[in-house]
Structure formats: C-alpha cells, structure tokens
Amino acid sequence: MNTCTASAPGKIILFGEHAVVYGQPALAAPVHDLRATAHVAPGSPGSGLSIEAPDLDQRHALAGAAAHALALTAQLVLERLGEGEPDAHITVQSDIPVAGGLGSGAAVSAALARALAAYLGRPLENAELSALVYETEKVHHGTPSGIDNTVVCYGMPVYFVRGHEPEVFHPGKPFDLLIGDTGMPSPTHETVGAVREAWQREPNMYEATFTEIGAVVEVARSAIERGQTARLGPLMAENQALLRRLRVSSPELEQLIEAALAAGAGGAKLSGGGEGGNMIALVEPETVARVRKELYRAGARRVIHTLVR
Ligand code: PMV
C-alpha cells in the first residue's frame, strides 16, 4: 500500500462563543497557518496499527488504547468504513498550540481520520469526517457545541447553529487578524461548566445575554459577507462586553485586548472558551507590526497573523 498524508487547520471563533452552546449562532474561521498533519505508512505484516504523535508526546498501539482520542479516532474510522485493523503506522505532527482554544484536538483527529481513510482507499466527505471528529471531541470537552470539528473539517469560515447543518460562508473581502496567546490554559469544559452553573442561578440575565450575542453574530456575518470590515471592530467590542458579563474574560485577556486597541487595532475580543487561551485583534497592513509589538509587550506568549478569507 502507498503512504498517505492529510492535514487539517487550526481554528478561531470570530463571534458567538459560549452562547453557541445554548442554541445561538456563532462564526468561526480556519487558521490555515497552523496545521495538524498525519502520515500513514504500511507496517510489517502482523504489526497492527500504531499511532505516534511526538509533539504531543504520545505513542499508542490501537489495541487497548481506545480511551485515548487518537486511538479512538482510528477505531471510529475503521468502524465507519467496516474495515479491519491494517498493518500500518500513523505519525501525527501539529504546530497548533494545545489547550488554547485553537482547535488542536479537533485538527489532530481530523488529519488522522482523513489520512487513514484515504490510506484505505475510502476518503471521507467533510460532513462524515466532522461527525466522526465530534465523537472524539466529546472525549476532550464533554458536550461541545460541535463548532470546532465543523470549521476544522470544512476548512472554511462557518456559520454554526447547534443541531443544524453548518453553513460555510465567504468574506466579501479578506481581513487580517492577529491571534494573541495569553500563555494561560483555557480549560473549555471548566469555563463552559462555570457558565452553565451561573446560567442556572441567573437564567434570565444569562439568556438575555446569549440572545444579545446571537444578534451580534447575525450582524457580523452580514458585515463580513459584504466586505464591510470597518464594521467588525465595534461588533467585536460589543461581543467582548457581553463575554465579560458572562464572566469568561480574565485580567490577562483584558490586558492584551487593551494593548491591541491602544496600538491601533480596529477591534479586539477573546476567542474561544476564555479565562486564558487566545484573543483576536482586527488589524490592517499598516497597523499589524505595531499591534504585534504591543501584544508581546503586554505579555503575549505568541502572536500569530492570519488572513480570514
Ligand atoms: O474550544 P474553544 O476554547 O475554542 O471553545 C469552544 C467555544 C465554546 O463556545 C466556549 C464551547 C463550545 O463547545 O462551543
């Protein structure tokens, strides 16, 4: 059998995190500059399937490792395709930071599933791949909304409502974002759990906030599709104010947001689960260098430039 390689991008949530768990829409985009790649090569007869992820410090034989997301991904692919365990070796490499809300878990699973299915001569459709990766996301995140696996598998900006077919959409004009990493972990299931508890205590306030976030998402989608980038900054500010009200921001995120705005970013907000993890800043070719410098000065551990297209 021939070798097979496949990859999947990282992702950012543009608008609508957290409210998306409660049925509101959210927008997310792939980060093509960060990728997970999987390579499948034939193994010796009788070797079975082994998986190695040196960046993640992991090595598994398929048998007996089902509890692990990578082995689970491989098992799900074999089940879906009705194939037995091949004698093969999978190597997974990723430059997506782990636990920062950039979709690393989903991208690694998507790359592995795509490569293994192609190796077996049975490539998966995006929707099939996404459903399969969702199963593995549950291992990392409890009951995720499904937005991560969707954007990572489709590799295009998506408008996502839980329980509905995802809609891919096209920016009328590409726009530049800087992604600033606080260096603090963003434990998604903890922030999602904290929001859930607070929602149970104060359902009216929380539901009103989710609805307001959903309204921002609708306006943002239309602005993006029309190429009205200048409208996005105030919408990011509005979404961030609502996320503060949900209490998912943090001093570290606020510091980066403030620094980006002071350096001339058109808008800035946290992206993903919050607490730690990443923020995004809207920049122009003229402001990108200054905003990047100020993000580092304000404590960012890593700044990534991406074009949403
Ligand atoms: O995986 P993250 O950190 O980008 O967060 C996912 C976004 C949430 O809306 C907070 C959770 C979810 O499942 O959609």
Side-chain angles (χ1 to χ4, degrees), residues 37 54 59 84 94 107 126 141 157 160 167 177 190 203 216 240 255:
T37 306
R59 204 190 160 100
S94 171
N126 287 340
H141 295 315
F160 180 88
E167 293 173 33
L177 292 176
E190 280 175 31
V216 172
Q240 177 61 23
Q255 203 166 319

Side-chain angles (χ1 to χ4, degrees), residues 204-224:
N204 294 344
M205 190 281 268
Y206 271 74
E207 260 155 45
T209 307
F210 298 145
T211 307
E212 280 185 67
I213 292 176
V216 172
V217 169
E218 297 294 353
V219 179
R221 176 182 176 171
S222 127
I224 293 172

